[in-house]
Amino acid sequence: MLYHSPLLAASAVAAPTAASADTRYEAAVRQIWRHTGAPPTQKTALQRELVRYATLAASSHNTQCWKFRLEGDRISILPDLERRTPVVDPDDHHLYASLGCATENLLQAALAHGLQGLVEVQTDGSIQIDLEPTQAIATPLFNAIPQRQSTRADYDGQTLSTGELAQLEQAAAGNGVNLLLLTEKPAMEQVLAYVIEGSNAQTSDPDFVQELKSWIRFSEREAVRRGDGLFARCSGNPTIPRWLGNLLFDQLLTPKAEAQKCTHHIRSSAGIAIFVADHDRPADWINAGRAYQRFALQATAMGVRTAFLNQPVEVATLRPQFAQYLGVSDRRPDLVVRFGRGPEMPRSLRRPVAAVLV
Ligand SMILES: Cc1cc2nc3c(=O)[nH]c(=O)nc-3n(C[C@H](O)[C@H](O)[C@H](O)COP(=O)(O)O)c2cc1C
């Protein structure tokens, strides 16, 4: 989906932002994107800390569409259906993939704290993680959790070595999810054509634009107050008051501007990773999310950035053609992610742990 609306053009009319809101945003970033200080010794405190790590995962539109239940030695991750995005994600595919992302962070954090997590997806789509004592291992993936971000910037256009690509492949492997790595320019141009076609369909759909707009946080003040959604600055846009964002958003989100941005993004990337699960059910979408999260954490550990470009898998009429192009027409391509080296972008925010516990 298109998170990089061209609000840069609006910078000339952007109202000055309150310094205090800016400071609060910076303080929130420091509070959210960090490792634990002294590891908690008490069980519930430790489990809350594992939940905090889980919430640092990616989620579609940064909806944080998850709830967590602590029961004895089990942590359950439940879908928060009030945080659905029915236009871009009518069958909740991304919602369950996001739960998979949170699952993976939780497992990595548990291991670092001497707990092995055994995962079981229930028929209602909730995820039970039973925690058993084991030797503590802080994996490079765990260490990378507070650094990972969806980096919506141009990358440096350099390739990755064969060894680096192998490390990414290895991190993503498992749980019935296949990774297609495209690094040749002609193949990346083909994907770009699908991304642009999907982007054109989405930007021409008023319901899509409306839903996306409802998750944009136009100012620091709004971003900090809500702690969720897509903060404009994370996509390289200026911060502006919501009334102005509401006025400008529809006019500036044009197919042409989006196509240009996607073109720069893909042409400056080292490659594109496509995650394809063996089957097409919530449990498989969760596994695709887990595979992405491991891939992104491994990339982060190597100083490589990642960002989603899911337009070809989100537009239902385009998805079968895209699958056919990829040679997986018997399956559903789940997620599309570009990668490469590039600058860090401003950070997304999260709601506090207390807000996601049930
Ligand atoms: C299933 C899923 C789909 C996503 N699709 C897109 C996308 O199409 N475009 C995009 O820019 N970001 C996409 N994202 C990234 C989220 O917007 C991002 O994770 C969220 O804003 C939080 O930011 P962070 O990843 O930097 O922590 C997706 C994330 C998930 C988990």
Side-chain angles (χ1 to χ4, degrees):
M1 67 199 78
L2 314 148
Y3 289 174
H4 35 264
S5 62
L7 281 175
L8 270 177
S11 55
V13 287
T17 49
S20 59
D22 200 41
T23 311
R24 280 206 302 278
Y25 165 76
E26 296 301 338
V29 167
R30 277 195 301 278
Q31 176 59 22
I32 292 166
W33 294 102
R34 61 177 173 82
H35 273 298
T36 310
T41 46
Q42 199 257 341
K43 183 154 95 181
T44 309
L46 175 57
Q47 290 188 351
R48 288 174 72 103
E49 197 52 20
L50 300 184
V51 169
R52 189 183 71 76
Y53 276 108
T55 66
L56 299 184
S59 66
S60 179
H61 279 18
N62 197 17
T63 54
Q64 303 161 36
C65 45
W66 41 56
K67 294 186 280 191
F68 297 83
R69 191 166 52 218
L70 313 182
E71 325 160 76
D73 293 320
R74 172 178 295 166
I75 300 180
S76 297
I77 306 182
L78 318 167
D80 185 344
L81 298 177
E82 288 177 10
R83 292 179 164 264
R84 297 182 66 234
T85 48
V87 180
V88 70
D89 189 29
D91 62 1
D92 293 329
H93 171 279
H94 281 4
L95 182 144
Y96 284 103
S98 304
L99 299 191
C101 298
T103 301
E104 194 58 44
N105 267 20
L106 198 150
L107 292 175
Q108 296 290 338
L111 188 58
H113 291 85
L115 293 168
Q116 171 88 33
L118 304 173
V119 178
E120 208 177 289
V121 178
Q122 305 300 296
T123 45
D124 64 358
S126 64
I127 303 163
Q128 282 182 1
I129 304 175
D130 288 317
L131 299 165
E132 291 176 358
T134 189
Q135 192 196 342
I137 306 173
T139 62
L141 275 61
F142 167 71
N143 289 331
I145 290 177
Q147 271 80 49
R148 184 209 58 83
Q149 69 167 189
S150 300
T151 308
R152 301 183 193 91
D154 288 354
Y155 298 161
D156 69 3
Q158 300 300 305
T159 54
L160 264 58
S161 71
T162 316
E164 287 174 321
L165 293 172
Q167 276 182 285
L168 291 175
E169 263 179 327
Q170 209 183 340
N175 306 110
V177 179
N178 301 281
L179 178 70
L180 309 178
L181 276 188
L182 308 181
T183 54
E184 300 293 331
K185 291 297 168 200
M188 289 169 67
E189 287 294 315
Q190 285 280 0
V191 175
L192 172 60
Y194 282 107
V195 168
I196 291 177
E197 198 175 333
S199 157
N200 288 345
Q202 291 180 326
T203 42
S204 320
D205 174 359
D207 292 337
F208 172 87
V209 175
Q210 184 53 42
E211 183 180 80
L212 176 58
K213 187 161 67 175
S214 73
W215 285 100
I216 303 277
R217 307 294 172 241
F218 289 103
S219 68
E220 287 88 353
R221 189 186 297 268
E222 194 180 19
V224 172
R225 184 170 58 81
R226 304 287 292 266
D228 63 5
L230 301 160
F231 180 36
R233 217 192 272 161
C234 301
S235 306
N237 294 314
T239 50
I240 52 175
R242 172 154 283 273
W243 66 266
L244 190 54
N246 277 339
L247 275 177
L248 294 174
F249 190 74
D250 308 41
Q251 285 146 44
L252 296 174
L253 190 75
T254 65
K256 190 171 166 216
E258 292 305 317
Q260 270 177 3
K261 199 165 254 188
C262 295
T263 302
H264 287 302
H265 281 173
I266 289 189
R267 291 195 179 149
S268 67
S269 295
I272 297 175
I274 298 158
F275 297 78
V276 188
D278 284 344
H279 303 285
D280 188 17
R281 302 161 304 203
D284 307 292
W285 307 338
I286 289 168
N287 283 333
R290 286 186 61 185
Y292 152 76
Q293 190 72 23
R294 288 194 302 274
F295 178 96
L297 291 173
Q298 177 63 47
T300 306
M302 291 160 32
V304 171
R305 305 214 175 267
T306 59
F308 288 92
L309 285 167
N310 279 323
Q311 295 90 333
V313 297
E314 289 169 348
V315 176
T317 48
L318 193 57
R319 200 160 54 228
Q321 296 167 41
F322 187 54
Q324 193 169 19
Y325 161 68
L326 296 170
V328 295
S329 41
D330 54 332
R331 280 167 289 159
R332 172 181 185 156
D334 290 284
L335 298 167
V336 183
V337 175
R338 68 188 175 97
F339 56 89
R341 291 198 161 81
E344 185 179 17
M345 292 291 279
R347 291 280 161 165
S348 61
L349 298 185
R350 295 295 187 273
R351 293 173 296 146
V353 169
V356 298
L357 288 177
V358 291

